[in-house]
Amino acid sequence: MNHRFARKLLLTTVLFLGTLCAVFAQTTLDTGPASLKWKHFKNNSVDVIYPSGADSLARHVSSTLDHVQGSVSRGLGIIPTRLPLILQNQTMVSNGFVSMGPRRTEFFTNTTQDYNFLGTINWLDLLAVHEYRHVVQNEVARTGTGSVIEVLAGTLAARGAAGLMAHSWFWEGDAVVAETSLTRGGRGRYPAFNRAFRMNLLERGGFNYEKQIGTSFKDFVPNHYVTGYHMVAYVRRKTDDPLVWGKISRRTFNRPFIPFAFSSSIKKYSGSGVRATYGEMLADLRQQWEAQLAKIELTNFSDFTPRKNKVYTDYSAPEILPSGDLLVVRTGLSHADQLLKISPDGEVRLLRTLGRFNNPGYISVAQNKMVWAEFESDPRWPMRVYSVLKTMDLSTLKVEKLTQKSRLMAPAFSPDGSRIVAVRSTETGNYRLVVLDGFSGAVRNTFSIDGAWNLLTPRWFEDGMNVVFVTTKKEGKYLVKLNVNSGAQTTLLGPTMENFGVPRPQGKYVLYNSPKSGIDNIYALDTASGKTFQLTSSKYGAYNGVLSDDLKTLYYNDFGKFGMNVVSAAADPQQWRKGKNVQDTGIHYFQPLVEQEKEADLLANVPKQSVEEKPYHKAAHLVRPYQWGLTTTSNLSLDNFMLGFVSQSNLSNFSLNAGAVYDLTEKTIKYQGGFSWQGWYPVLSFTGSYGDRKLDRNINTDVGPLTSKTEWNEVNLSSKISLPLDLTRNRFFQFLNLGVALDQTFVSNYQTVVGDTTFTRPIFTEQGNGWLNTINSTVSYSYLFKRAKRDIYAPWGFSVYGQWQTSILGNEKEEGEIYGGLVRLYLPGVMRHHSIRLKAGAQQQYLENPFTHTYNSTIGWVRGATYFSMQNYFLTGVDYGLPLWYPDIHIGPLVNIQRIRLNMFFDYGYSKGTFERNANNQIVIDPNQSMEQKSVGTEVMFDFNGLRTLPLISAGFRYSYAFNEGNNVSFLLSF
């Protein structure tokens, strides 16, 4: 390759990545409560930072990470340097991530209730292996070309470059392979993980490579975790080399930043490029999965799923009501967690859309009441998320919130509806079964289970005295029966590595889901004899069995081509297959990888560490730069370049930036900086800049066209206090943001030269010499209905925005003021995913004399028309948006177009009161001077992902016709 070209390409890449970093920069940081006190200690792998009280969690994670560091790193051939690990124990969301902005990892300590995600290991151990593999990947990404980019532009840019070079599936797929091959669990072991991928391959022949890695609005495409796991596993199986992905990634990242390096590296070490490898992997899996199905005799069932089209939709968690109706949860590409009632004759009634559903895999109904859990964020602190219980009367559809600021999961009603059993998670990492009053939510009993890593999905026996639940301990998984009166515990199943879940007592049986046969099916445990039975034999997976009252019919979910179906089959215990006779037909795609690693269970014996805990002082760790050097700013025009840095604290409570900006258009330099302190309830922010300004204009004068040249020095200061609040409590997402800022601008050495004339006062719209001090107050509120994936806008809701700007402490004759408000109303269109948006706004501006400072509009203006500053301005409009096509077409590896959508609009603006020359040639305000503006137009947008990355980009154009001004075409871009 030409080295000069390579250097240019590298510089362009650095600038592009810097632009992305700026565009995606956060304004409200994900931080925890100000009241938290933090501690930390260091070991070989991490600097553990954790809230006081979570000491045992911190020591456990620390010991585990040091223990697994070598094994998790071995496959990629590099040991990472130490990095901060933040334990987040205030949120009930179960997650974890690794970031390079700044470099750190965060573990959300609460254990998930999803047994197929959790598997047979401890939640924190799963995070330790999976997330630390990402740390190792990022360390490889910092070598070679990445090391050059990091020196020039920062750690985040280096990771961004690696993300463009190695396809999205590699990062998560490689981490899932690590968790599966190095532990006794891991998602790659369980058929639920590849269920949809398996179905798409066998029913549709699989998708093309670009669609599979880029997702789709047309079809349900399993995420990059699933695709990546099978791709990474296939190459390791093919090469029989546990180090092959280390070789591939190092070669990819060590080469200059050129297209297709990842594919060529895969070809070098496995014999095939990325597309060919994908095709080989599909063929290999198809052959094995078809052979598996050939061994299976499928269950005959009756399908009464109320499908009206072929759009992917799940009808999950069936519950039988006394009336004979079924209650199910519908979710999919076109629906978002809807509770439905399905009558025996197939009539469907929508009861409610659930909020931020904390879904354990089922819903619980008793005495015509339903109980479930929803996430509820602290209004101010994004990292404090509760899980509250809600109940609904299925006759009146009245919903009540039973608990406040609770940490409860997987609730289930007792048969008489008087009590609820649920799992309570503590901030110290302990789990308890709690029995609550079904009417008041008061806690009646609390039970702990010795040695339990988790407690999952409890349900009541029909006697109302006992509950059954799943737990995992060091020895394996258990199915346990607990008497809530005496506290006596009885082990029904276990210990075992069989990954069963979601038990449901019925009669003398406990029904549960299990992958024992190699495909998820429904099983029953006879509590009298201790024997188990297989009740279903499904093609892709059967779940959530419930027997009719006479125990003769089994209702359940069976996964099919278009999602989860609600089906029924005869329930004859004489025909059930005995558990001991169930054959495992699974293909065990992971097994060669386990043998390559030569570590049957890396987590079997983790030595405990001795650590020295110290207080973690927030003030001493505020500055951690992650972006620096030469980048472009975030205005997308690519006409501003910044030489500087961006920083964020480990606890995400402080951000800082500073640098010098060169404006290509004005050919000027300004120096700017700012910070945002988000560790208190209000957010405190400050920005400042100083530099030269230059503007050249072509103007028409009495003597002909001339060029005006305007120059001045400008200082900008902005001090802001704001309060961003998340008020979401149900299916309507509510956000309120209040802010007030003091914006100060000081102009000096102002002059405009037109021909031979020099003006020292503005003749255009700029501010003249001196200070302009503006109080800028804003309020915004949105109340928008929960969206499905295909929804372009919220189907229902409204938003309100208000702003008041007034100048103070300056020249009285030049002080200005403006205030206005805009309301938007969201309504559904004539078809699903169509949207009507109405807007109406008004503003008033103070105009006293020609020198009065004027502000930009607070409410926007008529699209395609020119905005004029006038005393009174009214704006209204209507938009109609709809999807045109879900094409799923790609242009090589560059662009994968997922959706094309259309928006049609009409805007109307009316303004009154502006400056006019009177009979004496004086400029005065004419309050009766008015103007109307109208425009119609169309926006066509393409939603796509580019360069085989995941983020969805929207780009298109707007054609507008302003009735008094003519046509206008503009380019639109959003991320």
Side-chain angles (χ1 to χ4, degrees):
M1 171 184 277
N2 183 291
H3 292 290
R4 186 179 178 186
F5 172 75
R7 286 195 299 269
K8 288 183 177 180
L9 188 59
L10 178 60
L11 179 60
T12 302
T13 302
V14 170
L15 294 175
F16 171 71
L17 293 168
T19 302
L20 289 182
C21 294
V23 168
F24 291 114
Q26 301 180 75
T27 53
T28 301
L29 304 177
D30 290 335
T31 189
S35 59
L36 287 181
K37 304 298 181 183
W38 294 79
K39 296 181 179 180
H40 81 119
F41 59 83
K42 296 180 180 180
N43 63 14
N44 293 329
S45 54
V46 290
D47 179 5
V48 187
I49 304 167
Y50 59 96
S52 295
D55 304 71
S56 62
L57 293 175
R59 287 191 290 270
H60 176 94
V61 171
S62 170
S63 299
T64 303
L65 281 170
D66 261 17
H67 177 69
V68 306
Q69 182 184 39
S71 298
V72 174
S73 303
R74 183 174 57 241
L76 296 182
I78 193 170
I79 300 289
T81 57
R82 185 192 294 126
L83 81 165
L85 162 64
I86 295 94
L87 295 185
Q88 302 286 3
N89 70 342
Q90 299 294 301
T91 175
M92 290 296 291
V93 176
S94 304
N95 201 359
F97 68 87
V98 176
S99 174
M100 296 295 277
R103 182 173 178 263
R104 71 193 190 283
T105 181
E106 298 194 16
F107 291 4
F108 298 8
T109 61
N110 180 61
T111 298
T112 177
Q113 288 289 301
D114 183 349
Y115 74 99
N116 277 312
F117 185 2
L118 181 61
T120 59
I121 61 177
N122 184 302
W123 168 248
L124 291 176
D125 293 346
L126 175 64
L127 289 180
V129 176
H130 183 98
E131 301 303 335
Y132 198 74
R133 185 67 166 199
H134 288 318
V135 175
V136 181
Q137 295 165 351
N138 288 345
E139 199 73 7
V140 179
R142 301 171 70 193
T143 64
T145 301
S147 65
V148 178
I149 294 176
E150 181 172 330
V151 169
L152 294 176
T155 55
L156 190 60
R159 176 59 178 84
L164 291 175
M165 296 170 76
H167 301 175
S168 57
W169 54 260
F170 163 71
W171 307 91
E172 294 297 350
D174 179 64
V176 174
V177 164
E179 74 185 50
T180 304
S181 61
L182 290 170
T183 76
R184 73 187 195 188
R187 281 164 282 184
R189 295 174 182 264
Y190 310 128
F193 180 67
N194 62 38
R195 179 181 61 219
F197 183 70
R198 188 166 17 113
M199 177 275 295
N200 283 334
L201 179 58
L202 298 183
E203 299 290 338
R204 297 183 172 92
F207 299 126
N208 67 64
Y209 181 72
E210 307 299 336
K211 179 172 179 175
Q212 182 66 42
I213 68 173
T215 73
S216 169
F217 287 98
K218 181 179 181 180
D219 299 296
F220 179 76
V221 179
N223 62 29
H224 51 301
Y225 289 75
V226 179
T227 307
Y229 165 75
H230 291 94
M231 286 286 282
V232 172
Y234 173 74
V235 172
R236 280 187 52 173
R237 288 166 58 100
K238 179 182 178 181
T239 61
D240 193 26
D241 183 1
L243 308 180
V244 65
W245 284 104
K247 300 171 184 176
I248 291 170
S249 57
R250 286 196 302 275
R251 182 179 186 271
T252 300
F253 302 143
N254 284 332
R255 293 170 67 83
F257 191 88
I258 58 175
F260 314 120
F262 186 57
S263 182
S264 68
S265 297
I266 294 175
K267 185 173 183 179
K268 177 176 176 63
Y269 292 106
S270 72
S272 304
V274 67
R275 283 178 176 272
T277 298
Y278 175 69
E280 293 170 8
M281 180 265 292
L282 291 184
D284 182 45
L285 287 170
R286 180 165 190 155
Q287 183 272 325
Q288 295 194 50
W289 281 331
E290 286 178 342
Q292 178 189 24
L293 289 179
K295 305 174 186 176
I296 298 172
E297 182 180 349
L298 301 179
T299 300
N300 293 320
F301 56 74
S302 298
D303 187 349
F304 50 93
T305 309
R307 293 190 186 277
K308 296 182 179 180
N309 52 47
K310 297 181 179 181
V311 178
Y312 182 94
T313 309
D314 287 331
Y315 293 81
S316 302
E319 287 286 333
I320 304 174
L321 301 179
S323 61
D325 297 337
L326 278 179
L327 204 63
V328 300
V329 176
R330 176 172 66 182
T331 187
L333 296 175
S334 293
H335 304 91
D337 293 330
Q338 295 179 331
L339 188 66
L340 303 183
K341 182 189 286 188
I342 306 173
S343 66
D345 60 5
E347 180 183 353
V348 178
R349 181 187 176 193
L350 172 61
L351 302 184
R352 183 179 181 83
T353 296
L354 303 177
R356 298 171 62 192
F357 186 27
N358 185 359
N359 187 359
Y362 64 88
I363 54 179
S364 175
V365 176
Q367 302 300 315
N368 215 34
K369 297 190 300 181
M370 172 182 162
V371 64
W372 72 98
E374 286 188 6
F375 293 118
E376 192 172 281
S377 295
D378 182 284
R380 172 60 184 90
W381 309 112
M383 276 299 175
R384 182 157 66 190
V385 181
Y386 303 105
S387 182
V388 301
L389 303 190
K390 294 187 175 183
T391 62
M392 180 168 67
D393 187 311
L394 296 175
S395 298
T396 64
L397 303 186
K398 181 180 178 181
V399 174
E400 294 184 359
K401 186 162 72 171
L402 200 62
T403 63
Q404 304 284 341
K405 297 183 178 181
S406 57
R407 298 172 58 92
L408 299 170
M409 304 175 286
F413 265 129
S414 62
D416 63 1
S418 65
R419 290 167 295 167
I420 295 170
V421 64
V423 177
R424 183 170 66 192
S425 167
T426 70
E427 296 169 357
T428 57
N430 296 313
Y431 299 90
R432 304 284 187 265
L433 283 182
V434 294
V435 177
L436 303 97
D437 186 279
F439 301 97
S440 68
V443 176
R444 290 187 176 182
N445 300 96
T446 301
F447 303 94
S448 60
I449 310 299
D450 291 339
W453 290 345
N454 50 59
L455 301 176
L456 305 179
T457 57
R459 298 289 285 260
W460 290 86
F461 280 85
E462 293 175 350
D463 60 14
M465 295 188 299
N466 294 279
V467 297
V468 65
F469 61 92
V470 176
T471 186
T472 311
K473 302 181 181 181
K474 185 175 182 178
E475 299 77 20
K477 296 193 78 166
Y478 293 82
L479 186 66
V480 180
K481 178 181 178 181
L482 170 72
N483 186 294
V484 299
N485 293 328
S486 66
Q489 301 173 24
T490 305
T491 297
L492 303 179
L493 280 178
T496 177
M497 293 300 136
E498 180 183 342
N499 192 41
F500 56 80
V502 193
R504 182 191 186 98
Q506 288 201 269
K508 67 174 183 176
Y509 299 105
V510 176
L511 276 58
Y512 58 94
N513 306 331
S514 172
K516 185 175 183 177
S517 69
I519 294 175
D520 286 312
N521 277 294
I522 298 168
Y523 292 76
L525 167 70
D526 185 330
T527 56
S529 67
K531 296 179 179 180
T532 61
F533 302 90
Q534 182 181 353
L535 278 60
T536 64
S537 181
S538 175
K539 188 175 184 180
Y540 299 115
Y543 308 87
N544 306 320
V546 52
L547 292 168
S548 59
D549 289 341
D550 59 9
L551 305 182
K552 293 183 178 180
T553 304
L554 176 69
Y555 296 90
Y556 62 100
N557 285 133
D558 190 85
F559 190 75
K561 186 175 182 179
F562 302 106
M564 284 288 185
N565 301 303
V566 181
V567 305
S568 65
D572 183 358
Q574 299 302 317
Q575 301 299 317
W576 294 348
R577 179 177 295 147
K578 292 181 180 180
K580 64 181 182 180
N581 296 331
V582 174
Q583 294 183 348
D584 182 359
T585 63
I587 68 172
H588 298 282
Y589 212 61
F590 60 88
Q591 192 58 44
L593 316 183
V594 175
E595 295 168 0
Q596 290 172 6
E597 296 290 353
K598 296 181 174 60
E599 297 204 47
D601 184 4
L602 177 62
L603 300 170
N605 294 292
V606 178
K608 294 184 178 180
Q609 290 182 327
S610 171
V611 298
E612 183 181 353
E613 301 164 346
K614 298 179 181 179
Y616 183 81
H617 301 291
K618 301 177 186 178
H621 301 85
L622 294 180
V623 180
R624 287 204 67 209
Y626 62 86
Q627 179 184 338
W628 55 77
L630 186 64
T631 63
T632 62
T633 58
S634 59
N635 60 7
L636 300 178
S637 63
L638 302 183
D639 59 358
N640 284 273
F641 291 86
M642 183 178 80
L643 183 65
F645 75 93
V646 179
S647 170
Q648 180 180 305
S649 65
N650 286 329
L651 297 181
S652 301
N653 55 11
F654 181 76
S655 63
L656 175 70
N657 68 85
V661 178
Y662 181 74
D663 190 311
L664 286 176
T665 302
E666 297 187 8
K667 295 182 174 56
T668 58
I669 296 176
K670 69 176 178 180
Y671 304 92
Q672 67 179 34
F675 70 84
S676 178
W677 170 250
Q678 304 195 15
W680 296 336
Y681 211 80
V683 175
L684 306 180
S685 304
F686 174 82
T687 58
S689 66
Y690 166 77
D692 299 329
R693 298 291 309 276
K694 294 180 181 178
L695 290 176
D696 293 346
R697 296 183 177 93
N698 296 318
I699 59 175
N700 294 316
T701 68
D702 294 339
V703 297
L706 293 174
T707 299
S708 71
K709 294 183 177 294
T710 304
E711 298 182 3
W712 71 95
N713 304 117
E714 184 174 286
V715 175
N716 289 288
L717 304 173
S718 179
S719 305
K720 182 177 181 180
I721 181 170
S722 60
L723 190 60
L725 299 176
D726 180 350
L727 304 178
T728 303
R729 295 297 178 265
N730 51 39
R731 56 199 168 172
F732 284 92
F733 286 63
Q734 301 180 66
F735 297 93
L736 173 66
N737 201 321
L738 307 172
V740 59
L742 173 60
D743 298 329
Q744 299 172 278
T745 302
F746 178 73
V747 171
S748 60
N749 302 319
Y750 180 94
Q751 67 172 21
T752 296
V753 179
V754 182
D756 296 329
T757 306
T758 299
F759 300 88
T760 58
R761 297 198 65 148
I763 61 173
F764 300 107
T765 58
E766 305 90 42
Q767 174 189 336
N769 288 330
W771 282 99
L772 174 68
N773 304 303
T774 298
I775 298 294
N776 185 359
S777 303
T778 58
V779 57
S780 63
Y781 175 75
S782 60
Y783 185 79
L784 301 176
F785 199 82
K786 187 176 183 178
R787 290 195 296 169
K789 179 173 181 176
R790 283 189 174 182
D791 289 333
I792 301 172
Y793 303 103
W796 298 95
F798 69 92
S799 64
V800 178
Y801 177 79
Q803 185 175 14
W804 172 48
Q805 293 176 278
T806 181
S807 53
I808 60 171
L809 303 176
N811 187 328
E812 234 178 83
K813 292 184 178 181
E814 297 181 3
E815 288 182 0
E817 182 178 37
I818 190 171
Y819 53 89
L822 181 72
V823 177
R824 293 183 183 273
L825 182 64
Y826 294 76
L827 300 169
V830 296
M831 298 180 66
R832 183 173 294 278
H833 311 306
H834 290 209
S835 175
I836 299 171
R837 290 176 295 148
L838 307 175
K839 66 181 178 183
Q843 78 176 23
Q844 184 165 343
Q845 183 159 208
Y846 171 77
L847 296 177
E848 180 66 21
N849 59 71
F851 304 114
T852 302
H853 182 77
T854 58
Y855 293 96
N856 292 327
S857 175
T858 62
I859 60 174
W861 58 87
V862 172
R863 283 167 280 191
T866 303
Y867 172 70
F868 298 94
S869 292
M870 303 184 77
Q871 278 188 322
N872 299 288
Y873 182 51
F874 304 93
L875 176 68
T876 186
V878 58
D879 289 64
Y880 192 95
L882 68 154
L884 289 178
W885 187 23
Y886 305 114
D888 285 341
I889 57 177
H890 61 92
I891 304 172
L894 301 178
V895 174
N896 178 51
I897 303 173
Q898 299 185 33
R899 178 172 63 187
I900 302 174
R901 51 189 169 93
L902 174 71
N903 185 61
M904 299 169 286
F905 65 84
F906 169 76
D907 286 346
Y908 172 80
Y910 176 79
S911 50
K912 187 176 181 181
T914 189
F915 291 109
E916 294 289 334
R917 289 187 181 272
N918 63 13
N920 298 322
N921 203 31
Q922 296 173 318
I923 301 177
V924 297
I925 191 74
D926 183 355
N928 296 315
Q929 180 72 23
S930 64
M931 178 176 63
E932 284 188 330
Q933 291 177 307
K934 302 175 186 177
S935 75
V936 294
T938 298
E939 298 166 346
V940 179
M941 299 297 292
F942 296 81
D943 297 326
F944 63 92
N945 53 295
L947 301 177
R948 292 170 171 166
T949 59
L950 287 176
L952 198 65
I953 301 171
S954 298
F957 64 89
R958 173 191 294 156
Y959 167 79
S960 59
Y961 174 75
F963 284 47
N964 299 323
E965 301 182 43
N967 301 316
N968 180 271
V969 177
S970 55
F971 175 71
L972 305 175
L973 178 67
S974 64
F975 294 89

